[in-house]
Amino acid sequence: GAVPAGQTRIVVLRRNDVYDDYGGYPASILLDGTSAGRLAYGGFLIFDHPAGEVKLGASANRPAGGTCEITLQAEPDRTLYLVVAPRRQHVAAGLLGSAAVAAALPGFGSAVYASAAEVLARTSAEAVVSAAGGVAAQAAEGHGKTCAGPFGIAMLDESDALTYLRTLRQSD
């Protein structure tokens, strides 16, 4: 439909053709610091907002996840298209942190085990410790940044946005 008079329509989408570590989880969308919806992988949300400055944020629902926030100038009777996508820096920090911790574990990958149960116990413990290293590295990578966490936000031109929207579903 038409954009209400004096408002800006904001369409936020999350493509389903890009690898996303959080593909099974929605991105929490914030409008002017208030929760505005949950954006599914392969989904979109539409907001009508008064003209003027608007802050749009995207975050994951997990501790130390971080939030990416951008400030936009919303012009009346206009539609803005934005995409929420994985932040490469966040993904890389997680991989490097996990690998560094795993490599520092004594005997990582070289031990001889007496039983399958011992293999399972040791590899499970290594996985947990390694994952914790990845989470810590991700939190450190985003510390103090306006755009932190697993998601970034970028403007899209209308033709690209409309192409993607044909394959996406409305989120809640």
Side-chain angles (χ1 to χ4, degrees):
V3 177
Q7 301 269 312
T8 299
R9 178 150 297 148
I10 300 170
V11 179
V12 184
L13 61 93
R14 189 170 167 204
R15 295 169 45 187
N16 58 358
D17 62 345
V18 174
Y19 175 75
D20 187 335
D21 280 347
Y22 290 81
Y25 304 97
S28 294
I29 301 300
L30 306 167
L31 220 65
D32 295 326
T34 303
S35 179
R38 295 164 30 104
L39 182 60
Y41 178 72
F44 67 91
L45 292 167
I46 300 174
F47 307 103
D48 290 327
H49 191 278
E53 187 176 275
V54 59
K55 289 186 180 182
L56 182 72
S59 67
N61 289 327
R62 67 180 255 214
T67 299
C68 182
E69 186 175 82
I70 63 170
T71 301
L72 306 166
Q73 193 58 38
E75 297 175 20
D77 310 318
R78 185 167 173 222
T79 300
L80 298 174
Y81 297 95
L82 297 109
V83 62
V84 171
R87 282 185 60 247
R88 291 183 184 134
Q89 302 92 325
H90 184 81
V91 173
L95 292 172
L96 291 173
S98 293
V101 169
L105 291 172
F108 178 74
S110 64
V112 177
Y113 301 105
S115 68
E118 189 180 348
V119 169
L120 183 59
R122 170 73 185 202
T123 56
S124 295
E126 288 173 350
V128 168
V129 171
S130 177
V135 169
Q138 288 172 329
E141 179 276 324
H143 182 71
K145 293 182 179 177
T146 306
C147 187
F151 301 112
I153 306 170
M155 297 291 293
L156 274 179
D157 68 45
E158 183 176 22
S159 63
D160 287 341
L162 294 177
T163 299
Y164 297 132
L165 283 169
R166 289 186 190 111
T167 66
L168 306 178
R169 65 190 182 286
Q170 189 159 3
S171 295
D172 54 291

